[in-house]
Amino acid sequence: MARIGIFDSGSGGLSVLREIRKILPDERFIYYSDNAHCPYGEKTAQYIIDRSRAISDMLLSKGASAVVVACNTATAAAISTLRAEYDIPFVGMEPAVKPAATGTKSGVIGVLATAGTLRAPKYLNTRGKYGGNIKIEEQVGRGFVELVEGLELDGPHAESVVRASLEPLLDAGADTIVLGCTHYPFLLPLMQRIAPSGVSFIDPAPAVARRLRDVLTAGGVSLSDPDPGVELLASGDDTTLKKLFTLI
Ligand code: DGL
């Protein structure tokens, strides 16, 4: 029996929960959207560490035996602190630079992420590792999180916001775009419409789901709970969370 805590600055982490439930359908999940403090992307690392601690304490008090940090920004800022301070496993996000670098034909990949993720040492190390033979272009998905939290996943305004960050990557020749923020997969249909057909988008969520399953298995945790399902919690208004949950 396992209860899995999962959190994000908002509803973006639902794109990770979607992939986790595909391979762990019988678990009990407690999803926490910290939308009263969203976005995390421009906040300091210390602020995000403090929020991640408070949320982890709450998830543990609700019986979580593992926590998924379904937020690239919080993973980059806080996961090493969380791992050092708590006894349970934490599984985090990793921008999918490696598969993008391996798969690109044009030799240019694009990374879309928050400012916090792009300046974090964790990302800079990854970049250093794979940036030798290929070109890595980066853009902050400005306004993307606000679109998703506002349930504006399409339409002329959403399109112009998405174009402003996506087009510079396409113009630079990127044929593979890494979705480095868990909110962004909700804008994928729009991005696919904007991008030429040869461009592919990589979401690390399926790999994160497999990693969680491996961690639970290695820890001897049963992969089913007598009371499977999802509990949705939010620090602010939960309208978006409940609505987006119906889309996953
Ligand atoms: N969903 C988050 C991420 O993966 C953060 C969005 C934000 O709060 O800025 O980075």
Side-chain angles (χ1 to χ4, degrees):
M1 153 174 170
R3 292 188 167 211
I4 314 297
I6 170 163
F7 78 90
D8 177 39
S9 64
S11 299
L14 290 175
S15 66
V16 185
L17 179 61
R18 170 174 57 197
E19 300 304 322
I20 294 173
R21 288 182 84 205
K22 283 182 189 164
I23 61 168
L24 293 171
D26 299 321
E27 289 296 1
R28 175 127 200 112
F29 298 97
I30 310 162
Y31 184 98
Y32 188 82
S33 157
D34 196 18
N35 60 337
H37 304 96
C38 184
Y40 282 178
E42 309 285 336
K43 304 273 197 317
T44 63
Q46 190 55 53
Y47 181 93
I48 297 167
I49 289 170
D50 291 345
R51 288 306 307 149
S52 299
R53 272 199 192 110
I55 295 165
S56 300
D57 287 344
M58 187 273 297
L59 292 170
L60 255 83
S61 76
K62 288 181 134 308
S65 47
V67 171
V68 179
V69 184
C71 174
N72 292 74
T73 314
T75 300
I79 203 160
S80 47
T81 305
L82 298 173
R83 284 180 175 146
E85 293 181 358
Y86 294 86
D87 283 337
I88 60 163
F90 283 82
V91 174
M93 304 302 299
E94 193 76 58
V97 172
K98 184 181 172 185
T102 314
T104 178
K105 293 196 173 54
S106 68
V108 184
I109 69 165
V111 179
L112 274 172
T114 67
T117 295
L118 294 176
R119 69 167 173 257
K122 202 169 162 41
Y123 172 73
L124 296 174
N125 284 342
T126 307
R127 185 183 210 292
K129 212 151 124 196
Y130 298 103
N133 301 322
I134 55 149
K135 203 159 169 235
I136 304 181
E137 293 284 332
E138 290 140 3
Q139 281 289 319
V140 172
R142 288 218 186 278
F144 286 26
V145 170
E146 290 78 1
L147 288 177
V148 175
E149 291 297 321
L151 289 171
E152 198 182 342
L153 306 182
D154 211 332
H157 173 251
E159 180 168 340
S160 74
V161 170
V162 168
R163 274 189 188 279
S165 296
L166 181 58
E167 280 177 343
L169 299 177
L170 301 173
D171 292 346
D175 64 352
T176 311
I177 311 275
V178 174
L179 301 179
C181 167
T182 56
H183 280 77
Y184 300 174
F186 285 106
L187 297 166
L188 183 58
L190 178 53
M191 289 193 257
Q192 283 172 325
R193 228 177 47 228
I194 293 168
S197 58
V199 172
S200 54
F201 292 84
I202 306 190
D203 175 4
V208 172
R210 290 193 295 276
R211 173 86 191 123
L212 172 65
R213 185 181 55 193
D214 292 348
V215 165
L216 296 178
T217 307
V221 178
S222 153
L223 299 183
S224 66
D225 188 281
D227 187 20
V230 180
E231 190 180 340
L232 295 173
L233 302 169
S235 54
D237 183 275
D238 63 2
T239 311
T240 295
L241 183 63
K242 287 190 167 148
K243 174 77 184 147
L244 283 182
F245 184 67
T246 67
L247 301 182
I248 67 167

PDB file of all heavy atoms in Angstrom, residues 8-9 12-13 38-42 70-74 114 117 145 180-183, ligand 1:
ATOM      1  N   ASP A   8       3.135  20.770  -7.232  1.00  0.00           N
ATOM      2  CA  ASP A   8       3.604  21.731  -8.242  1.00  0.00           C
ATOM      3  C   ASP A   8       3.180  23.114  -7.754  1.00  0.00           C
ATOM      4  O   ASP A   8       2.361  23.237  -6.841  1.00  0.00           O
ATOM      5  CB  ASP A   8       2.963  21.410  -9.611  1.00  0.00           C
ATOM      6  CG  ASP A   8       3.352  22.408 -10.698  1.00  0.00           C
ATOM      7  OD1 ASP A   8       4.522  22.832 -10.736  1.00  0.00           O
ATOM      8  OD2 ASP A   8       2.484  22.784 -11.507  1.00  0.00           O
ATOM      9  N   SER A   9       3.706  24.147  -8.400  1.00  0.00           N
ATOM     10  CA  SER A   9       3.271  25.511  -8.073  1.00  0.00           C
ATOM     11  C   SER A   9       1.797  25.712  -8.440  1.00  0.00           C
ATOM     12  O   SER A   9       1.183  26.677  -8.009  1.00  0.00           O
ATOM     13  CB  SER A   9       4.111  26.528  -8.847  1.00  0.00           C
ATOM     14  OG  SER A   9       3.867  26.352 -10.236  1.00  0.00           O
ATOM     15  N   GLY A  12       0.075  22.419 -13.263  1.00  0.00           N
ATOM     16  CA  GLY A  12       0.938  21.840 -14.294  1.00  0.00           C
ATOM     17  C   GLY A  12       1.327  20.402 -14.003  1.00  0.00           C
ATOM     18  O   GLY A  12       1.406  19.569 -14.918  1.00  0.00           O
ATOM     19  N   GLY A  13       1.545  20.095 -12.730  1.00  0.00           N
ATOM     20  CA  GLY A  13       1.972  18.747 -12.351  1.00  0.00           C
ATOM     21  C   GLY A  13       0.953  17.681 -12.708  1.00  0.00           C
ATOM     22  O   GLY A  13       1.283  16.490 -12.692  1.00  0.00           O
ATOM     23  N   CYS A  38       1.779  30.751  -6.867  1.00  0.00           N
ATOM     24  CA  CYS A  38       2.189  30.537  -8.254  1.00  0.00           C
ATOM     25  C   CYS A  38       2.291  31.881  -8.970  1.00  0.00           C
ATOM     26  O   CYS A  38       1.463  32.762  -8.713  1.00  0.00           O
ATOM     27  CB  CYS A  38       1.141  29.655  -8.941  1.00  0.00           C
ATOM     28  SG  CYS A  38       1.522  29.190 -10.628  1.00  0.00           S
ATOM     29  N   PRO A  39       3.233  32.100  -9.891  1.00  0.00           N
ATOM     30  CA  PRO A  39       4.237  31.152 -10.360  1.00  0.00           C
ATOM     31  C   PRO A  39       5.485  31.124  -9.475  1.00  0.00           C
ATOM     32  O   PRO A  39       5.799  32.094  -8.793  1.00  0.00           O
ATOM     33  CB  PRO A  39       4.580  31.691 -11.746  1.00  0.00           C
ATOM     34  CG  PRO A  39       4.367  33.172 -11.651  1.00  0.00           C
ATOM     35  CD  PRO A  39       3.231  33.357 -10.670  1.00  0.00           C
ATOM     36  N   TYR A  40       6.202  29.983  -9.519  1.00  0.00           N
ATOM     37  CA  TYR A  40       7.483  29.844  -8.832  1.00  0.00           C
ATOM     38  C   TYR A  40       8.632  30.377  -9.707  1.00  0.00           C
ATOM     39  O   TYR A  40       9.706  30.651  -9.208  1.00  0.00           O
ATOM     40  CB  TYR A  40       7.785  28.367  -8.569  1.00  0.00           C
ATOM     41  CG  TYR A  40       7.075  27.701  -7.406  1.00  0.00           C
ATOM     42  CD1 TYR A  40       7.288  26.344  -7.145  1.00  0.00           C
ATOM     43  CD2 TYR A  40       6.227  28.402  -6.551  1.00  0.00           C
ATOM     44  CE1 TYR A  40       6.674  25.706  -6.087  1.00  0.00           C
ATOM     45  CE2 TYR A  40       5.598  27.759  -5.483  1.00  0.00           C
ATOM     46  CZ  TYR A  40       5.829  26.408  -5.252  1.00  0.00           C
ATOM     47  OH  TYR A  40       5.220  25.757  -4.205  1.00  0.00           O
ATOM     48  N   GLY A  41       8.383  30.449 -11.016  1.00  0.00           N
ATOM     49  CA  GLY A  41       9.454  30.685 -11.989  1.00  0.00           C
ATOM     50  C   GLY A  41      10.350  31.883 -11.724  1.00  0.00           C
ATOM     51  O   GLY A  41      11.530  31.856 -12.034  1.00  0.00           O
ATOM     52  N   GLU A  42       9.793  32.945 -11.143  1.00  0.00           N
ATOM     53  CA  GLU A  42      10.607  34.148 -10.913  1.00  0.00           C
ATOM     54  C   GLU A  42      10.947  34.320  -9.426  1.00  0.00           C
ATOM     55  O   GLU A  42      11.534  35.329  -9.038  1.00  0.00           O
ATOM     56  CB  GLU A  42       9.852  35.404 -11.394  1.00  0.00           C
ATOM     57  CG  GLU A  42       9.285  35.334 -12.817  1.00  0.00           C
ATOM     58  CD  GLU A  42      10.349  35.492 -13.897  1.00  0.00           C
ATOM     59  OE1 GLU A  42      11.402  36.077 -13.618  1.00  0.00           O
ATOM     60  OE2 GLU A  42      10.104  35.005 -15.029  1.00  0.00           O
ATOM     61  N   ALA A  70       6.573  17.539  -8.991  1.00  0.00           N
ATOM     62  CA  ALA A  70       6.123  17.610 -10.393  1.00  0.00           C
ATOM     63  C   ALA A  70       6.258  19.028 -10.918  1.00  0.00           C
ATOM     64  O   ALA A  70       5.334  19.577 -11.536  1.00  0.00           O
ATOM     65  CB  ALA A  70       4.691  17.099 -10.504  1.00  0.00           C
ATOM     66  N   CYS A  71       7.407  19.600 -10.668  1.00  0.00           N
ATOM     67  CA  CYS A  71       7.686  20.993 -11.030  1.00  0.00           C
ATOM     68  C   CYS A  71       9.181  21.090 -11.285  1.00  0.00           C
ATOM     69  O   CYS A  71       9.988  20.772 -10.402  1.00  0.00           O
ATOM     70  CB  CYS A  71       7.287  21.890  -9.849  1.00  0.00           C
ATOM     71  SG  CYS A  71       7.728  23.612 -10.051  1.00  0.00           S
ATOM     72  N   ASN A  72       9.557  21.492 -12.500  1.00  0.00           N
ATOM     73  CA  ASN A  72      10.979  21.606 -12.815  1.00  0.00           C
ATOM     74  C   ASN A  72      11.657  22.665 -11.949  1.00  0.00           C
ATOM     75  O   ASN A  72      12.795  22.503 -11.520  1.00  0.00           O
ATOM     76  CB  ASN A  72      11.168  21.981 -14.291  1.00  0.00           C
ATOM     77  CG  ASN A  72      10.741  20.866 -15.216  1.00  0.00           C
ATOM     78  OD1 ASN A  72       9.548  20.622 -15.396  1.00  0.00           O
ATOM     79  ND2 ASN A  72      11.705  20.170 -15.794  1.00  0.00           N
ATOM     80  N   THR A  73      10.945  23.767 -11.721  1.00  0.00           N
ATOM     81  CA  THR A  73      11.533  24.885 -10.973  1.00  0.00           C
ATOM     82  C   THR A  73      11.801  24.474  -9.524  1.00  0.00           C
ATOM     83  O   THR A  73      12.871  24.759  -8.968  1.00  0.00           O
ATOM     84  CB  THR A  73      10.583  26.102 -11.015  1.00  0.00           C
ATOM     85  OG1 THR A  73      10.122  26.277 -12.362  1.00  0.00           O
ATOM     86  CG2 THR A  73      11.266  27.356 -10.539  1.00  0.00           C
ATOM     87  N   ALA A  74      10.843  23.781  -8.905  1.00  0.00           N
ATOM     88  CA  ALA A  74      11.019  23.339  -7.509  1.00  0.00           C
ATOM     89  C   ALA A  74      12.058  22.230  -7.428  1.00  0.00           C
ATOM     90  O   ALA A  74      12.827  22.165  -6.465  1.00  0.00           O
ATOM     91  CB  ALA A  74       9.688  22.873  -6.931  1.00  0.00           C
ATOM     92  N   THR A 114      11.095  27.719 -17.206  1.00  0.00           N
ATOM     93  CA  THR A 114      10.988  28.977 -16.468  1.00  0.00           C
ATOM     94  C   THR A 114      12.386  29.567 -16.262  1.00  0.00           C
ATOM     95  O   THR A 114      13.402  28.856 -16.385  1.00  0.00           O
ATOM     96  CB  THR A 114      10.343  28.756 -15.077  1.00  0.00           C
ATOM     97  OG1 THR A 114      11.248  27.983 -14.270  1.00  0.00           O
ATOM     98  CG2 THR A 114       9.004  28.044 -15.181  1.00  0.00           C
ATOM     99  N   THR A 117      14.367  27.621 -13.628  1.00  0.00           N
ATOM    100  CA  THR A 117      14.976  26.367 -14.085  1.00  0.00           C
ATOM    101  C   THR A 117      16.214  26.655 -14.922  1.00  0.00           C
ATOM    102  O   THR A 117      17.262  26.025 -14.745  1.00  0.00           O
ATOM    103  CB  THR A 117      13.950  25.566 -14.916  1.00  0.00           C
ATOM    104  OG1 THR A 117      12.870  25.195 -14.063  1.00  0.00           O
ATOM    105  CG2 THR A 117      14.565  24.315 -15.530  1.00  0.00           C
ATOM    106  N   VAL A 145       2.496  29.803 -17.993  1.00  0.00           N
ATOM    107  CA  VAL A 145       1.901  29.294 -16.739  1.00  0.00           C
ATOM    108  C   VAL A 145       0.570  30.008 -16.477  1.00  0.00           C
ATOM    109  O   VAL A 145      -0.431  29.384 -16.102  1.00  0.00           O
ATOM    110  CB  VAL A 145       2.893  29.497 -15.564  1.00  0.00           C
ATOM    111  CG1 VAL A 145       2.229  29.211 -14.223  1.00  0.00           C
ATOM    112  CG2 VAL A 145       4.114  28.598 -15.752  1.00  0.00           C
ATOM    113  N   GLY A 180      10.318  22.013 -20.621  1.00  0.00           N
ATOM    114  CA  GLY A 180      11.020  22.012 -19.336  1.00  0.00           C
ATOM    115  C   GLY A 180      10.214  22.593 -18.199  1.00  0.00           C
ATOM    116  O   GLY A 180      10.784  23.056 -17.204  1.00  0.00           O
ATOM    117  N   CYS A 181       8.903  22.611 -18.337  1.00  0.00           N
ATOM    118  CA  CYS A 181       8.013  23.072 -17.266  1.00  0.00           C
ATOM    119  C   CYS A 181       6.745  22.242 -17.381  1.00  0.00           C
ATOM    120  O   CYS A 181       6.238  22.031 -18.496  1.00  0.00           O
ATOM    121  CB  CYS A 181       7.701  24.559 -17.438  1.00  0.00           C
ATOM    122  SG  CYS A 181       6.339  25.160 -16.399  1.00  0.00           S
ATOM    123  N   THR A 182       6.258  21.758 -16.249  1.00  0.00           N
ATOM    124  CA  THR A 182       5.149  20.803 -16.291  1.00  0.00           C
ATOM    125  C   THR A 182       3.820  21.431 -16.719  1.00  0.00           C
ATOM    126  O   THR A 182       2.881  20.708 -17.052  1.00  0.00           O
ATOM    127  CB  THR A 182       4.983  20.108 -14.931  1.00  0.00           C
ATOM    128  OG1 THR A 182       4.804  21.094 -13.907  1.00  0.00           O
ATOM    129  CG2 THR A 182       6.206  19.268 -14.608  1.00  0.00           C
ATOM    130  N   HIS A 183       3.749  22.751 -16.724  1.00  0.00           N
ATOM    131  CA  HIS A 183       2.536  23.398 -17.252  1.00  0.00           C
ATOM    132  C   HIS A 183       2.461  23.299 -18.781  1.00  0.00           C
ATOM    133  O   HIS A 183       1.378  23.300 -19.360  1.00  0.00           O
ATOM    134  CB  HIS A 183       2.494  24.881 -16.869  1.00  0.00           C
ATOM    135  CG  HIS A 183       2.027  25.159 -15.469  1.00  0.00           C
ATOM    136  ND1 HIS A 183       2.828  24.977 -14.375  1.00  0.00           N
ATOM    137  CD2 HIS A 183       0.836  25.612 -14.998  1.00  0.00           C
ATOM    138  CE1 HIS A 183       2.145  25.320 -13.279  1.00  0.00           C
ATOM    139  NE2 HIS A 183       0.939  25.705 -13.639  1.00  0.00           N
TER     140      HIS A 183
HETATM  141  N1  DGL B   1       5.198  23.946 -13.359  1.00  0.00           N
HETATM  142  C1  DGL B   1       6.404  24.519 -12.930  1.00  0.00           C
HETATM  143  C2  DGL B   1       7.639  23.939 -13.563  1.00  0.00           C
HETATM  144  O1  DGL B   1       7.620  22.811 -13.983  1.00  0.00           O
HETATM  145  C3  DGL B   1       6.563  25.946 -12.563  1.00  0.00           C
HETATM  146  C4  DGL B   1       5.753  26.996 -13.115  1.00  0.00           C
HETATM  147  C5  DGL B   1       5.882  28.258 -12.311  1.00  0.00           C
HETATM  148  O2  DGL B   1       5.299  28.276 -11.232  1.00  0.00           O
HETATM  149  O3  DGL B   1       6.571  29.180 -12.735  1.00  0.00           O
HETATM  150  O4  DGL B   1       8.648  24.566 -13.634  1.00  0.00           O
END
